[in-house]
Amino acid sequence: MENGWIDVSVSLHSGMVHWPDNPPVWIERTLSIERGDAANVSEISMGAHTGTHMDGPIHFVRGGKGLDEMPLTATIGRARVIEIQDPESIKPDELDLHGLQRGERVLFKTQNSAHHWPSEDFDEDFVYVSQEAARYLAELGIQTVGVDYLSVGGFRKDAEETHQALLEAGIWVIEGLDLSEVEPGEYELICLPVKIERSDGAPARAILGAI
Ligand SMILES: [Zn+2]
């Protein structure tokens, strides 16, 4: 907490956890003051879906929009953090309890947040959005969905189906949030992905402010 803002992004570092078939994270200071260079300059190599990041529709939808076309209001404004009890996946029955409204921005705090996942190995059993819940969110006309692990869809199931249902419906997706310090409730969200042309994914800084 800093002046009422909570940083819900993870710190990027070499060798950190990433989706199994995505590129590894490598960050190296290629120019270094200590080694006699005039400045410190780092080189960064990683997949576009690393750490806290967003998915653009084109990630799973042929001809879909890139993240550079995202309306800024998708990720700036009121958002609700909802605590999910189900240890396996987010399902429509549990969502029903929360009275979600059209146009809402919703961030799901699951049991993923109880682990310090950014500093651990890849967890194949993370809590994900089931394809049924993804269709439920799409039908409701939810604007933005955020999750506390590297993917909205599961590792063993619902990876494609969940992404397709959300992205085809025009829902903007934030992944890799760290919600461990956040209580459920209403917040002001600011999350902006780096602007990359036609981007299927882009790293983002996300913060939540008290209201
Ligand atoms: Zn994704």
mmCIF file of all heavy atoms in Angstrom, residues 49 53 55 59-60 150-153 163 173 175, ligand 1:
data_model
loop_
_atom_site.group_PDB
_atom_site.id
_atom_site.type_symbol
_atom_site.label_atom_id
_atom_site.label_comp_id
_atom_site.label_asym_id
_atom_site.label_seq_id
_atom_site.Cartn_x
_atom_site.Cartn_y
_atom_site.Cartn_z
ATOM 1 N N HIS A 49 3.497 -13.066 -23.021
ATOM 2 C CA HIS A 49 2.517 -13.454 -21.994
ATOM 3 C C HIS A 49 3.240 -13.825 -20.692
ATOM 4 O O HIS A 49 3.032 -14.887 -20.115
ATOM 5 C CB HIS A 49 1.652 -14.611 -22.508
ATOM 6 C CG HIS A 49 0.870 -14.230 -23.730
ATOM 7 N ND1 HIS A 49 -0.447 -13.862 -23.682
ATOM 8 C CD2 HIS A 49 1.260 -14.097 -25.025
ATOM 9 C CE1 HIS A 49 -0.858 -13.531 -24.902
ATOM 10 N NE2 HIS A 49 0.161 -13.679 -25.737
ATOM 11 N N HIS A 53 0.293 -9.455 -17.381
ATOM 12 C CA HIS A 53 0.193 -9.079 -18.794
ATOM 13 C C HIS A 53 -1.265 -9.100 -19.223
ATOM 14 O O HIS A 53 -2.138 -9.567 -18.485
ATOM 15 C CB HIS A 53 1.007 -10.053 -19.657
ATOM 16 C CG HIS A 53 0.424 -11.436 -19.726
ATOM 17 N ND1 HIS A 53 0.600 -12.375 -18.724
ATOM 18 C CD2 HIS A 53 -0.371 -12.035 -20.648
ATOM 19 C CE1 HIS A 53 -0.029 -13.482 -19.038
ATOM 20 N NE2 HIS A 53 -0.651 -13.311 -20.203
ATOM 21 N N ASP A 55 -4.057 -10.104 -22.529
ATOM 22 C CA ASP A 55 -4.273 -10.834 -23.781
ATOM 23 C C ASP A 55 -5.113 -9.955 -24.700
ATOM 24 O O ASP A 55 -6.140 -9.418 -24.276
ATOM 25 C CB ASP A 55 -5.091 -12.116 -23.528
ATOM 26 C CG ASP A 55 -4.269 -13.222 -22.889
ATOM 27 O OD1 ASP A 55 -3.090 -13.010 -22.589
ATOM 28 O OD2 ASP A 55 -4.848 -14.314 -22.695
ATOM 29 N N HIS A 59 -4.961 -13.056 -29.778
ATOM 30 C CA HIS A 59 -4.264 -14.198 -29.148
ATOM 31 C C HIS A 59 -4.956 -15.521 -29.519
ATOM 32 O O HIS A 59 -4.302 -16.520 -29.779
ATOM 33 C CB HIS A 59 -4.282 -13.985 -27.629
ATOM 34 C CG HIS A 59 -3.500 -14.963 -26.821
ATOM 35 N ND1 HIS A 59 -2.347 -15.580 -27.253
ATOM 36 C CD2 HIS A 59 -3.706 -15.421 -25.555
ATOM 37 C CE1 HIS A 59 -1.893 -16.377 -26.293
ATOM 38 N NE2 HIS A 59 -2.700 -16.301 -25.263
ATOM 39 N N PHE A 60 -6.297 -15.508 -29.564
ATOM 40 C CA PHE A 60 -7.028 -16.746 -29.903
ATOM 41 C C PHE A 60 -8.061 -16.570 -31.019
ATOM 42 O O PHE A 60 -8.710 -17.531 -31.392
ATOM 43 C CB PHE A 60 -7.735 -17.316 -28.653
ATOM 44 C CG PHE A 60 -6.846 -18.207 -27.823
ATOM 45 C CD1 PHE A 60 -5.971 -17.670 -26.896
ATOM 46 C CD2 PHE A 60 -6.869 -19.590 -27.988
ATOM 47 C CE1 PHE A 60 -5.133 -18.487 -26.133
ATOM 48 C CE2 PHE A 60 -6.039 -20.416 -27.235
ATOM 49 C CZ PHE A 60 -5.171 -19.860 -26.308
ATOM 50 N N LEU A 150 -1.109 -17.251 -14.552
ATOM 51 C CA LEU A 150 -0.633 -16.866 -15.876
ATOM 52 C C LEU A 150 -1.648 -17.030 -16.995
ATOM 53 O O LEU A 150 -1.416 -16.587 -18.113
ATOM 54 C CB LEU A 150 0.630 -17.672 -16.216
ATOM 55 C CG LEU A 150 1.871 -17.241 -15.419
ATOM 56 C CD1 LEU A 150 2.979 -18.277 -15.563
ATOM 57 C CD2 LEU A 150 2.346 -15.875 -15.897
ATOM 58 N N SER A 151 -2.797 -17.700 -16.713
ATOM 59 C CA SER A 151 -3.778 -17.926 -17.779
ATOM 60 C C SER A 151 -5.185 -17.930 -17.222
ATOM 61 O O SER A 151 -5.414 -18.406 -16.106
ATOM 62 C CB SER A 151 -3.495 -19.274 -18.454
ATOM 63 O OG SER A 151 -4.534 -19.612 -19.349
ATOM 64 N N VAL A 152 -6.143 -17.415 -18.007
ATOM 65 C CA VAL A 152 -7.557 -17.534 -17.621
ATOM 66 C C VAL A 152 -8.025 -18.976 -17.761
ATOM 67 O O VAL A 152 -8.839 -19.459 -16.978
ATOM 68 C CB VAL A 152 -8.496 -16.611 -18.444
ATOM 69 C CG1 VAL A 152 -8.478 -15.202 -17.907
ATOM 70 C CG2 VAL A 152 -8.187 -16.661 -19.926
ATOM 71 N N GLY A 153 -7.537 -19.683 -18.789
ATOM 72 C CA GLY A 153 -7.913 -21.073 -19.008
ATOM 73 C C GLY A 153 -6.987 -21.998 -18.236
ATOM 74 O O GLY A 153 -5.907 -21.585 -17.800
ATOM 75 N N HIS A 163 -10.328 -19.067 -23.283
ATOM 76 C CA HIS A 163 -9.782 -17.901 -23.995
ATOM 77 C C HIS A 163 -10.704 -17.492 -25.135
ATOM 78 O O HIS A 163 -11.014 -16.305 -25.315
ATOM 79 C CB HIS A 163 -8.400 -18.215 -24.573
ATOM 80 C CG HIS A 163 -7.266 -17.999 -23.616
ATOM 81 N ND1 HIS A 163 -6.709 -18.997 -22.885
ATOM 82 C CD2 HIS A 163 -6.598 -16.869 -23.273
ATOM 83 C CE1 HIS A 163 -5.719 -18.511 -22.143
ATOM 84 N NE2 HIS A 163 -5.636 -17.222 -22.350
ATOM 85 N N VAL A 173 -8.692 -9.155 -21.118
ATOM 86 C CA VAL A 173 -8.205 -10.143 -20.149
ATOM 87 C C VAL A 173 -6.854 -9.716 -19.558
ATOM 88 O O VAL A 173 -5.903 -9.456 -20.301
ATOM 89 C CB VAL A 173 -8.062 -11.518 -20.839
ATOM 90 C CG1 VAL A 173 -7.371 -12.521 -19.915
ATOM 91 C CG2 VAL A 173 -9.436 -12.048 -21.272
ATOM 92 N N GLU A 175 -3.917 -11.114 -16.978
ATOM 93 C CA GLU A 175 -3.444 -12.351 -16.357
ATOM 94 C C GLU A 175 -2.185 -12.063 -15.535
ATOM 95 O O GLU A 175 -1.509 -11.063 -15.754
ATOM 96 C CB GLU A 175 -3.143 -13.390 -17.445
ATOM 97 C CG GLU A 175 -4.404 -13.776 -18.213
ATOM 98 C CD GLU A 175 -4.167 -14.645 -19.434
ATOM 99 O OE1 GLU A 175 -3.155 -14.428 -20.126
ATOM 100 O OE2 GLU A 175 -4.995 -15.523 -19.688
HETATM 101 ZN ZN ZN B 1 -4.088 -15.901 -21.789
#
